[in-house]
Amino acid sequence: MKEIVEIVFFFTVLIILVPIFGWYMAKVFAGEKNLLSPVMLPAERLAYRIAGIRHNEEMNWKEYLTALLVFNAAGFIVVFVLQLYQKSLPLNPERLGNIAPALAFNTAVSFMTNTNWQAYSGESTLSYFTQMIGLTVQNFLSAATGIAAFLAMTRGLTRKETSLIGNFWIDVSRSVLYVLLPLSIVLSIALAGQGVVQTFAPYAHVTTLEGDHQVIPLGPAASQVAIKQLGTNGGGYFGANSAHPLENPTAVSNFLEMLAILLIPIALVFTYGRLVGSRRQGFAIFAAMMLLLLAGLSVMLLGEHMANPIFADTPLLEGKELRFGIGNSILWGQATTCASNGSVNAMHDSFTPLAGMIAMLNMMLGEVVFGGVGAGLYGMLMFVFVAVFIAGLMVGRTPEYLGKKIEKREVQASVVGILVPGAVILLFSAIASATGAGLSSLGNRGPHGLSEILYAFSSAAGNNGSAFAGLNANTDFYNIMTGIAMLVGRFAVIVPAVIIGGTMAKKKIIPGSEGTFRTDSLMFVFLLIGVIVVVGALTFFPALTLGPIVDHLLLMKGKFF
Amino acid sequence: MSTRKNITFLDRTLIQRAVVDSFKKMHPRTQVKNPVIMMVSTGAAFTTCIILVDAFHGRFPAFNIQIALWLWFTVLFANFAEAIAEGRGRARADSLKSAKSGSVARMITDSRELKIPASELKRNDIVVCEAGDLIPGDGEVIEGIASVDESAITGESAPVIRESGGDRSAVTAGTRVLSDRILVRIVSESGKTFLDRMIALIEGAARQKTPNEIALTILLSSLSFILLIAVMTLYPFSLYSANASGSGMPEYLTIPILIALLVCLIPTTIGGLLSAIGISGMDRLIRHNVIAMSGKAIEAAGDIDVLLLDKTGTITIGNRMASDFIPAHGVDVSRLASAAQLSSLADETPEGRSIVVLAKDLFNLRAGDVRNTNARFIPFSAQTGMSGVDIPVPGGMRRIRKGAAEAMGNYIAGIGGAYPPEVSQAVETVSRSGGTPLVVSEGKDIVGVIHLKDVVKGGIRERFEDLRKMGIRTVMITGDNKLTAAAIAAEAGVDDFIAEATPETKLVRIRDEQAEGHLAAMIGDGTNDAPALAQADVGVAMNSGTQTAREAGNMIDLDSNPTKLIEIVEIGKQLLMTRGSLTTFSIANDIAKYFAILPALFGGLYAQAGTAGPIAAMNIMRLASPESAILSAVIFNALIIVALIPLAVRGVAYRPVGANAILARNLLMYGLGGLVAPFIGIKIIDWMVVLLRLV
């Protein structure tokens, strides 16, 4: 009961905040005057002057995509090099050594792609400098990249008969200056107030009550924790992520961090509605996402509270966030896997098989239930195109969405974006489950071991970054395989998204009539959910059967792994 | 004509030929055009190889042989669907071919006549055709007039007039001159005539995949690809699980069964029926006597949201009809009717005849005997704007005149008569109601007004209502003035009209609509319609029209019936709906197949001694055995293609209701139906499989 109250309270606060913030972002991205214009406009102009950006020029999709890819490649190189030479760089009070190339590659890809898969443990591996200049900066920029791609795609839907879809540099600058930076500053201060550490001092050496010697890792955590939550990055400052008391010390910090996971992804759906000039369209997508989120949450809670032959009604607390209870662990787990965040306050490996499966499925579906900032929405729009394509045919018209015809190019791009990450999850998991290199990392046997593998590649290809735990990810095999999965999972979606923006912008807008079906109706919401679930089910049902489903069935028979 | 009869599915020759064709279509060159079915035939071939290897080692696994057989059947059924659809059109093509064969052209060179085979004709050759001759090539009449039997093309046996100049100058190869003599300038190379194109279109030889078909094929192929990966990766996952559970490799995890699983999962239903749906759409049009120049045009017809219609002949029956007599003050209405009738006796125009008929109907007036008197009929002249009759009567002359209000006003004033105000009023009223007033005078008196009315075709209002529900706006085009146009538009129930239109107005309007993103359709026959026909997204040229018009449009209506456009739109929509509905059905089917096959494959995993494994609990259909479950799913998957051929060929029923209602209905029928149907179907087949001891 208490859990239900907590969950209802959480969503109430969230749902009050998101439309307002969505409206604010719509103003920002449309370049209109907004709350922060007086402060940020001079900063924005200065940035353009320094960088030599012609801010009144727009790009076609090829230019936009080139800018995006070059920008990301540069980010990758910076993070990669910083890690290789961190020993020689400043702000390294613990004298942490250079990072091995495979791990450095994995981490650089991970933060560039907004995944924040961490095969390392922050406190024992990375210097303050690497964390701040490398990772935190990418936390901002990868999130901004996602928003930019989303904006490019959206402009394709709203503009007609043009090849221009905006200016990448402006979109990134505005995302950072008006959205990510101000929110992060507010949240870091609030978190620091709750006790999240923020210091350059070396690690604390203390003597415990028992008289033992203990090293307590410190660092500039609050500033990184804020953006890791807000930008759906999820990479913890410490290895234990938000299960670490210095990263998530109180119930208030827990609540704020959970809010921050979903705030921008949900608000962007409302931004979308405003940008396309129909708040109902935004609301329809919001409804589909929210229903999927709540349905998943219900299954997870059911899975956790279902009586089983081994423990009967005893709460399954192992690996959960003991301070805040199962409800908050599950809510965080659902939020973080839906929103492609990947931060955790509990170990997903310790969820019951059903709850673990939902977490996995959220990622397998392509992170479209709100998903990563920007990324979730452009992924979802691809599902919308497929849903509209099939439904459009069913009403006897060649399909269109918001007056734009969906033709060969858009179908091609959408199926690439929807199916390629899924293919990578299956293929890479298959390789891992059939090779010694893949199997040697497993922490559990039986179906749970297969779940660990599936989870790892789902997390990587879904650009989520959360770990199922139990799997030793820091091996050359997993560093390279998950690195590739992250790259494919990011760019096999982002590239089609920008291309769709380009091809759509060139089209006319066909005015709606009685012959066009509404894409803002309840029926469409359910159709969209149906398409997402069926595509997900068709792709992953066999694999899930051998992982979490049989795991669950065995648990019901009194056997667990 | 014979091929117009309704071809049933049970037509013996049709089926025989289709069966033969289904085997011919096994050729890899044909298979490669359909990626989904290609995957099935590859799988079937692979399974067959495995069986052959087994046979080489002296093993004959009955189960695998059955799987292989049903996989081959799946391919055959898909081929059969396409062959049936093609066969329905072929009968028609054959009759057309007979019209074409062996005609001889009488070419005129240097004013001498030369007999050459029609196949050697070139553009701009001049040929002569006389009564009894087959016209050897498409062309334009440059001299003369003839009645032509076009039944070979149109199925309409009544001959039509073809003459030089004007809008009826086009002649078609394969039609026959019935009377008179014409000179024809050939406009198309041999082999590229209208007849040739028609045959090619009907036979499907020239059928290219339409843009939407290509997009759908991409979607289906991609889905098949991901399912291929899902099934392929199942093998290592199973190996892992077998090791983990210590129960050994699952007994049923063999290559043939994995192939069977894959074939069940990939969208074979829509993949197998897709081309049949497209061919049938074309065929349905042909049965409505419309030839589409490309499949793309049919698809576009489904998208049309603006329809430009000529008033005359489409919305109204070609001519005005007398509908009322309005007498002047103090004049008996029968006197007016009589005067009107007398004045129209010599008037052979439809309007004139309608006046005679109306007077007869209303007052039983028969004025036939007047002809025998020395009556002098005054024909209509543009100068006076009147027509009439002078009838000698004892003691003078009855001078009856009728004409437009203005002309009659001048005439009456000229002879010193009066023009009563209530007549002016009547004229005004008639005009405003969309009619044409004709004023009648006798001597110096104005006796009244004849109300000539544009008669709106029966049932047209309801059709426009239907169109509106389909989301299509109708625009009436007429040369009438605004007042008249507005009245008729209101009566017919069109959404908009263009009055005082010229041929250019059509083109401008279509461009305007398209600029706003609309897709416009129009119908036309004249040479001056050609630019608009070419510009329209769907331009339907009437077969009776000029060659230029016929080449500009992307469809030709052989019946030259302007309301045909409505059927064309419906057929276009039906085509797309059938595609969408069967795609939904096909994909929704997969859920049940998973529940049939996965428990069969993995039921033994993690089993404790003596009990079924946990995954066996997923066998919610309670299928008899793993073998029967797998076989039933494969059989269902193959049979459903055959079961749906009639639907694919006939098309999903279309009713003009709003898009949301259609979507709801089709989602329920084909989405939910597709989810549930295989659960029932597979269960029934499982019973039969057990009953017949197939496993």
Side-chain angles (χ1 to χ4, degrees):
Chain A
M1 192 59 216
K2 193 173 130 283
E3 283 178 359
I4 302 290
V5 174
E6 279 172 358
I7 288 168
V8 169
F9 178 69
F10 172 75
F11 281 110
T12 312
V13 174
L14 194 60
I15 284 170
I16 292 170
L17 286 178
V18 285
I20 303 167
F21 196 60
W23 169 68
Y24 165 74
M25 285 196 288
K27 277 186 167 302
V28 169
F29 298 134
E32 291 167 23
K33 202 165 171 289
N34 60 67
L35 190 68
L36 289 182
S37 297
V39 191
M40 287 301 179
L41 203 58
E44 193 187 340
R45 293 217 173 109
L46 186 68
Y48 296 153
R49 192 164 307 149
I50 293 169
I53 293 162
R54 288 181 293 262
H55 61 88
N56 42 15
E57 275 179 23
E58 293 212 339
M59 304 171 168
N60 64 31
W61 74 261
K62 284 181 187 149
E63 294 162 340
Y64 200 98
L65 193 57
T66 311
L68 185 151
L69 295 175
V70 167
F71 185 65
N72 276 241
F76 166 81
I77 292 169
V78 169
V79 180
F80 188 60
V81 172
L82 278 182
Q83 292 178 87
L84 291 184
Y85 300 104
Q86 75 169 2
K87 206 171 166 189
S88 331
L89 293 167
L91 280 175
N92 187 358
E94 301 303 317
R95 318 294 314 148
L96 294 166
N98 293 333
I99 313 295
L103 178 59
F105 161 78
N106 184 280
T107 306
V109 166
S110 173
F111 279 77
M112 177 214 14
T113 56
N114 197 258
T115 312
N116 295 28
W117 170 263
Q118 293 168 296
Y120 62 93
S121 203
E123 59 270 42
S124 60
T125 318
L126 296 181
S127 70
Y128 294 169
F129 191 77
T130 310
Q131 295 252 32
M132 285 178 71
I133 305 300
L135 306 190
T136 308
V137 169
Q138 278 308 306
N139 277 352
F140 281 96
L141 300 184
S142 65
T145 301
I147 294 179
F150 151 70
L151 289 172
M153 192 175 183
T154 307
R155 289 195 189 103
L157 294 172
T158 55
R159 295 181 175 185
K160 57 178 178 181
E161 293 168 90
T162 170
S163 58
L164 302 176
I165 52 170
N167 183 319
F168 175 74
W169 308 114
I170 292 177
D171 290 339
V172 165
S173 308
R174 287 192 181 141
S175 304
V176 172
L177 290 174
Y178 291 88
V179 180
L180 300 169
L181 200 56
L183 272 179
S184 298
I185 291 172
V186 174
L187 186 63
S188 335
I189 292 170
L191 290 177
Q194 288 297 312
V196 178
V197 291
Q198 178 77 2
T199 174
F200 284 146
Y203 293 176
H205 293 258
V206 295
T207 308
T208 63
L209 291 175
E210 291 96 355
D212 288 341
H213 176 249
Q214 188 183 355
V215 181
I216 299 177
L218 301 173
S223 57
Q224 189 175 329
V225 171
I227 185 63
K228 81 152 187 192
Q229 297 300 87
L230 287 164
T232 61
N233 300 286
Y237 191 87
F238 303 110
N241 211 307
S242 282
H244 194 293
L246 293 185
E247 209 166 314
N248 182 16
T250 66
V252 174
S253 73
N254 192 60
F255 186 81
L256 288 177
E257 288 182 20
M258 281 200 298
L259 268 187
I261 291 177
L262 288 170
L263 179 66
I264 299 180
I266 302 186
L268 270 177
V269 184
F270 287 85
T271 306
Y272 170 76
R274 291 199 178 255
L275 288 179
V276 300
S278 161
R279 284 149 75 184
R280 284 182 60 107
Q281 297 290 350
F283 194 79
I285 292 179
F286 165 78
M289 290 173 160
M290 201 55 165
L291 285 172
L292 279 167
L293 185 143
L294 294 177
L297 187 63
S298 311
V299 174
M300 285 173 115
L301 287 171
L302 191 74
E304 289 299 322
H305 291 292
M306 198 189 261
N308 70 65
I310 303 171
F311 300 111
D313 287 336
T314 320
L316 303 166
L317 284 169
E318 184 273 322
K320 305 283 159 52
E321 176 50 272
L322 291 178
R323 292 171 298 163
F324 312 130
I326 290 178
N328 270 314
S329 298
I330 291 298
L331 181 57
W332 186 304
Q334 173 68 348
T336 197
T337 50
C338 278
S340 178
N341 184 294
S343 65
V344 291
N345 74 350
M347 296 302 119
H348 293 181
D349 195 27
S350 299
F351 285 179
T352 54
L354 273 188
M357 179 178 80
I358 295 296
M360 208 182 296
L361 198 57
N362 287 331
M363 302 185 293
M364 287 171 163
L365 292 178
E367 289 291 7
V368 294
V369 181
F370 298 114
V373 283
L377 208 45
Y378 60 67
M380 182 55 124
L381 284 174
M382 292 178 184
F383 272 109
V384 168
F385 294 152
V386 170
V388 163
F389 186 81
I390 294 171
L393 287 179
M394 270 197 285
V395 302
R397 279 174 78 94
T398 58
E400 63 208 22
Y401 178 63
L402 301 180
K404 296 274 190 175
K405 282 272 173 235
I406 297 183
E407 289 162 309
K408 187 180 145 198
R409 291 287 297 272
E410 292 75 39
V411 170
Q412 239 167 0
S414 297
V415 293
V416 166
I418 291 172
L419 298 178
V420 169
V424 166
I425 294 173
L426 288 174
L427 284 173
F428 283 23
S429 301
I431 294 170
S433 68
T435 53
L439 294 172
S440 63
S441 287
L442 296 189
N444 293 80
R445 295 165 299 111
H448 211 72
L450 187 60
S451 296
E452 284 171 4
I453 294 175
L454 280 171
Y455 194 102
F457 287 107
S458 302
S459 177
N463 293 141
N464 181 287
S466 72
F468 207 39
L471 182 89
N472 172 24
N474 190 13
T475 64
D476 282 355
F477 176 82
Y478 279 102
N479 276 334
I480 290 167
M481 293 290 274
T482 54
I484 295 171
M486 288 187 274
L487 283 173
V488 176
R490 179 72 162 181
F491 292 105
V493 192
I494 226 169
V495 172
V498 176
I499 291 177
I500 289 174
T503 60
M504 283 293 212
K506 290 203 185 87
K507 298 184 184 195
K508 293 183 200 167
I509 294 181
I510 300 159
S513 74
E514 275 294 305
T516 19
F517 71 93
R518 303 190 67 100
T519 48
D520 56 2
S521 67
L522 192 63
M523 183 164 59
F524 184 73
V525 169
F526 283 110
L527 176 74
L528 182 58
I529 292 176
V531 168
I532 294 167
V533 171
V534 167
V535 168
L538 290 187
T539 315
F540 296 108
F541 197 53
L544 290 174
T545 305
L546 294 176
I549 292 178
V550 71
D551 201 2
H552 169 78
L553 293 170
L554 282 167
L555 177 70
M556 290 296 121
K557 290 193 163 202
K559 198 162 160 35
F560 72 100
F561 296 86
Chain B
M1 83 188 245
S2 61
T3 49
R4 227 173 157 184
K5 73 168 191 256
N6 212 0
I7 300 167
T8 61
F9 292 106
L10 297 174
D11 188 300
R12 182 189 284 267
T13 50
L14 186 67
I15 289 186
Q16 273 170 358
R17 191 157 174 186
V19 169
V20 175
D21 283 352
S22 349
F23 284 94
K24 283 188 191 156
K25 284 173 190 288
M26 286 287 190
H27 196 288
R29 202 176 44 220
T30 325
Q31 288 284 305
V32 82
K33 287 181 194 157
N34 189 337
V36 178
I37 297 303
M38 177 82 178
M39 240 165 143
V40 183
S41 49
T42 313
F46 208 76
T47 313
T48 311
C49 288
I50 291 172
I51 292 168
L52 289 178
V53 170
D54 273 352
F56 186 73
H57 290 106
R59 290 189 302 264
F60 294 96
F63 182 64
N64 282 357
I65 292 172
Q66 289 192 63
I67 294 272
L69 274 178
W70 281 105
L71 294 184
W72 284 118
F73 276 138
T74 312
V75 181
L76 282 174
F77 291 162
N79 291 347
F80 180 71
E82 193 180 271
I84 279 275
E86 283 172 351
R88 284 156 69 83
R90 195 179 286 130
R92 172 117 196 186
D94 288 344
S95 85
L96 288 177
K97 276 184 192 159
S98 66
K100 196 182 137 197
S101 54
S103 60
V104 174
R106 296 162 61 186
M107 193 168 75
I108 306 280
T109 37
D110 308 328
S111 65
R112 281 189 315 125
E113 195 183 303
L114 201 65
K115 284 200 172 153
I116 60 163
S119 54
E120 285 173 20
L121 280 176
K122 287 185 217 39
R123 270 180 83 101
N124 293 327
D125 284 348
I126 310 286
V127 295
V128 62
C129 298
E130 279 176 314
D133 288 348
L134 271 182
I135 295 174
D138 289 358
E140 210 165 339
V141 181
I142 51 171
E143 194 186 305
I145 175 168
S147 66
V148 177
D149 171 14
E150 294 196 336
S151 62
I153 305 277
T154 64
E156 177 59 57
S157 53
V160 292
I161 300 293
R162 292 287 177 249
E163 60 186 335
S164 62
D167 285 348
R168 292 185 298 177
S169 61
V171 288
T172 312
T175 57
R176 191 176 293 277
V177 177
L178 292 180
S179 70
D180 306 289
R181 176 178 189 274
I182 45 173
L183 283 184
V184 175
R185 188 167 52 82
I186 299 297
V187 295
S188 63
E189 300 276 332
S190 165
K192 288 178 188 164
T193 64
F194 179 62
L195 192 65
D196 292 313
R197 276 190 291 165
M198 221 170 121
I199 292 170
L201 282 166
I202 294 171
E203 283 193 320
R207 212 181 83 83
Q208 289 186 322
K209 279 191 175 162
T210 60
N212 175 265
E213 222 174 337
I214 293 170
L216 183 58
T217 306
I218 289 172
L219 182 68
L220 297 175
S221 311
S222 316
L223 211 54
S224 306
F225 176 73
I226 193 79
L227 288 165
L228 175 68
I229 290 179
V231 172
M232 268 168 38
T233 52
L234 201 53
Y235 197 76
F237 292 153
S238 316
L239 275 176
Y240 168 90
S241 305
N243 284 332
S245 76
S247 52
M249 202 55 191
E251 189 185 342
Y252 298 105
L253 197 78
T254 63
I255 301 288
I257 290 179
L258 283 181
I259 290 173
L261 173 63
L262 177 64
V263 168
C264 285
L265 293 180
I266 59 176
T268 47
T269 314
I270 179 67
L273 295 171
L274 189 56
S275 82
I277 295 170
I279 298 168
S280 306
M282 188 80 90
D283 184 54
R284 272 200 298 282
L285 267 186
I286 290 166
R287 272 182 290 126
H288 280 86
N289 259 356
V290 176
I291 305 292
M293 291 305 159
S294 67
K296 195 179 168 187
I298 311 180
E299 259 171 28
D303 286 352
I304 290 307
D305 55 2
V306 178
L307 209 55
L308 267 63
L309 297 161
D310 272 323
K311 183 201 77 175
T312 311
T314 311
I315 295 170
T316 61
I317 33 185
N319 313 299
R320 295 154 210 258
M321 309 279 275
S323 72
D324 201 7
F325 297 113
I326 308 162
H329 205 65
V331 178
D332 188 55
V333 67
S334 63
R335 183 183 159 208
L336 166 62
S338 163
Q341 191 183 42
L342 288 170
S343 70
S344 308
L345 279 178
D347 187 351
E348 283 299 325
T349 63
E351 285 93 347
R353 263 177 279 153
S354 78
I355 295 172
V356 176
V357 171
L358 184 72
K360 192 183 84 184
D361 289 351
L362 288 179
F363 304 104
N364 203 24
L365 293 172
R366 285 172 204 282
D369 51 331
V370 180
R371 285 177 197 277
N372 305 328
T373 64
N374 296 323
R376 193 174 63 88
F377 291 99
I378 296 141
F380 176 84
S381 85
Q383 261 165 344
T384 60
M386 308 181 300
S387 63
V389 62
D390 291 339
I391 306 165
V393 287
M397 228 21 158
R398 272 181 87 180
R399 291 178 198 277
I400 303 174
R401 294 288 181 276
K402 73 169 199 287
E406 204 182 332
M408 291 300 288
N410 293 339
Y411 164 75
I412 284 293
I415 59 172
Y419 196 90
E422 77 274 5
V423 170
S424 308
Q425 213 162 10
V427 164
E428 184 76 25
T429 317
V430 170
S431 299
R432 195 165 298 142
S433 72
T436 309
L438 280 183
V439 176
V440 185
S441 71
E442 189 171 344
K444 287 184 181 179
D445 301 333
I446 299 278
V447 288
V449 177
I450 309 170
H451 185 170
L452 283 183
K453 201 174 169 187
D454 248 331
V455 182
V456 171
K457 282 186 176 173
I460 197 93
R461 202 186 166 86
E462 289 71 29
R463 302 220 71 170
F464 289 146
E465 192 62 44
D466 287 352
L467 283 170
R468 200 166 301 119
K469 283 185 201 143
M470 290 155 79
I472 297 170
R473 217 153 30 87
T474 42
V475 181
M476 181 182 87
I477 299 169
T478 171
D480 293 346
N481 64 47
K482 285 205 174 85
L483 211 63
T484 315
I488 295 171
E491 191 182 343
V494 293
D495 297 292
D496 197 1
F497 64 90
I498 311 174
E500 288 155 10
T502 61
E504 292 74 43
T505 351
K506 292 185 191 173
L507 181 63
V508 170
R509 178 66 181 238
I510 289 177
R511 286 223 174 105
D512 287 351
E513 295 284 358
Q514 287 174 334
E516 284 171 37
H518 294 287
L519 282 112
M522 77 157 272
I523 213 157
D525 55 359
T527 300
N528 52 25
D529 284 337
L533 281 173
Q535 179 71 32
D537 299 283
V538 173
V540 184
M542 303 213 208
N543 192 45
S544 62
T546 60
Q547 191 65 31
T548 326
R550 290 187 350 185
E551 276 175 8
N554 48 14
M555 288 196 197
I556 297 179
D557 177 20
L558 300 175
D559 294 342
S560 306
N561 169 8
T563 52
K564 196 65 83 54
L565 210 40
I566 298 173
E567 274 103 7
I568 294 174
V569 169
E570 283 182 2
I571 290 169
K573 284 192 177 296
Q574 249 193 332
L575 171 78
L576 294 170
M577 277 168 58
T578 312
R579 251 182 228 160
S581 300
L582 290 182
T583 304
T584 310
F585 185 86
S586 193
I587 294 171
N589 269 207
D590 281 6
I591 305 293
K593 292 170 189 164
Y594 268 137
F595 277 98
I597 297 181
L598 290 183
L601 278 179
F602 301 124
L605 279 179
Y606 299 103
Q608 263 124 14
T611 60
I615 299 177
M618 280 168 60
N619 182 8
I620 53 176
M621 281 176 272
R622 303 257 164 271
L623 303 178
S625 66
E627 285 109 332
S628 75
I630 294 161
L631 195 58
S632 305
V634 176
I635 294 176
F636 176 84
N637 193 55
L639 290 182
I640 196 73
I641 297 179
V642 183
L644 290 174
I645 290 177
L647 183 69
V649 171
R650 209 177 46 230
V652 166
Y654 178 79
R655 264 177 297 161
V657 288
N660 293 309
I662 297 178
L663 181 60
R665 183 173 164 275
N666 286 341
L667 267 183
L668 203 67
M669 261 183 88
Y670 300 98
L672 200 64
L675 207 62
V676 176
F679 278 103
I680 301 167
I682 291 174
K683 180 71 192 168
I684 293 173
I685 295 172
D686 184 65
W687 269 330
M688 311 261 285
V689 165
V690 174
L691 206 69
L692 299 171
R693 297 177 191 284
L694 292 179
V695 291

